[in-house]
Amino acid sequence: MKIAVLSLFPEMFDSFLSASILGRARTEGLLDVRPVDIRPYSDKKHKNTDDYPFGGGAGMVMMAQPIVDAVRDLRSQDYAGPCIYLSPRGTPLTQKKVVALSAQEGMILLCGHYEGVDQRAIDLVVDEEISLGDFVLTGGEVAAMALIDAVARYVPGVLGSGESTEEESFSDGLLEYPQYSRPEEWHGKKVPPVLLSGHHANIEKWRREQSILRTYERRPDLLEKSSLTWKEKKWLEETVKEKTVHEEPEDVTECTN
Ligand code: 4GN
């Protein structure tokens, strides 16, 4: 997969692209990621890339000209696939969308800064606007890195035989169960005995239950779409009741009403 990333700070991608799994994927030629500096594309004498917003208001807007010229240059150099602008006002990213993007020949990612990009550049060259979630970053680079990372995992050969895309959060609609490694006891904290039992059916059952409980506590919205058996629904109901009875009484010493 061939990815270009348009940024005013392309050096931000250096260590990200060299480390760990992505570093190896790139040396093996499975992944080609090129951070591209927007500034040289500016027509201005001093290579400015931003200007004041029409209509007033705080901050600066990234000008259309350098961005549109950069994207058109990349298109002429054989960069295919959607041009994606990372922004908090985009369509929320999902694992399904990540998998779909991994089947593309490539992508061109646009990283914004300041108050954002002139709408005319978005209208001309951007195919999709994607958001990682309801939060705001100073620039789109960290969001672009997250997207590249998530997509790369589904590019054939990027994950070794030890790493899988299968049995992780979201693939079965539930959050992951807790993991433990050596030592069996650490600072007085023991590993759940079932995991040391060697009884694989019990281990699977415990993990499934932990996933269900976590999803109930942290992401009840996901639980509605997941396929719990009637037995599992009953178990959850009982376990939640049980938990409420044995819960510590709430600390109200600071409560003033
Ligand atoms: C993306 C970009 C958040 C996201 C961003 C997100 C840069 N913040 N939630 N910041 O995926 C104005 C111009 C803010 C670009 C944008």
Side-chain angles (χ1 to χ4, degrees), residues 43-214:
D43 276 347
K44 298 257 190 250
K45 190 166 61 181
H46 300 288
K47 298 287 163 193
N48 308 284
T49 57
D50 58 353
D51 208 335
Y52 298 96
F54 278 122
M60 302 294 273
V61 172
M62 286 173 72
M63 297 186 299
Q65 177 272 316
I67 290 167
V68 170
D69 286 359
V71 172
R72 290 187 171 152
D73 186 36
L74 290 168
R75 290 300 189 198
S76 80
Q77 291 174 47
D78 214 51
Y79 280 87
C83 177
I84 298 169
Y85 177 43
L86 287 309
S87 117
R89 69 180 187 191
T91 308
L93 184 66
T94 61
Q95 196 68 13
K96 189 177 149 193
K97 178 68 182 175
V98 166
V99 174
L101 287 172
S102 73
Q104 292 277 344
E105 203 178 314
M107 5 180 224
I108 298 176
L109 306 181
L110 174 59
C111 305
H113 268 264
Y114 321 119
E115 299 310 306
V117 169
D118 188 308
Q119 186 61 39
R120 292 167 297 183
I122 299 172
D123 294 344
L124 276 172
V125 298
V126 169
D127 301 302
E128 306 183 44
E129 220 167 313
I130 289 181
S131 168
L132 296 195
D134 291 336
F135 53 89
V136 182
L137 306 165
T138 59
E141 284 79 5
V142 169
M145 289 184 217
L147 181 60
I148 292 166
D149 192 286
V151 168
R153 295 178 67 254
Y154 288 91
V155 172
V158 167
L159 293 191
S161 50
E163 307 116 355
S164 95
T165 53
E166 280 292 296
E167 58 211 67
E168 291 169 43
S169 292
F170 306 119
S171 52
D172 62 347
L174 295 173
L175 300 184
E176 264 289 69
Y177 48 79
Q179 299 278 15
Y180 298 86
S181 186
R182 289 190 288 185
E184 275 178 38
E185 185 175 341
W186 181 76
H187 290 248
K189 290 170 116 27
K190 288 188 168 67
V191 170
V194 65
L195 298 178
L196 312 174
S197 69
H199 192 304
H200 295 297
N202 284 354
I203 292 170
E204 263 195 66
K205 180 166 173 283
W206 180 85
R207 285 179 165 170
R208 173 92 183 160
E209 288 170 354
Q210 293 298 308
S211 284
I212 292 168
L213 206 50
R214 271 194 177 189

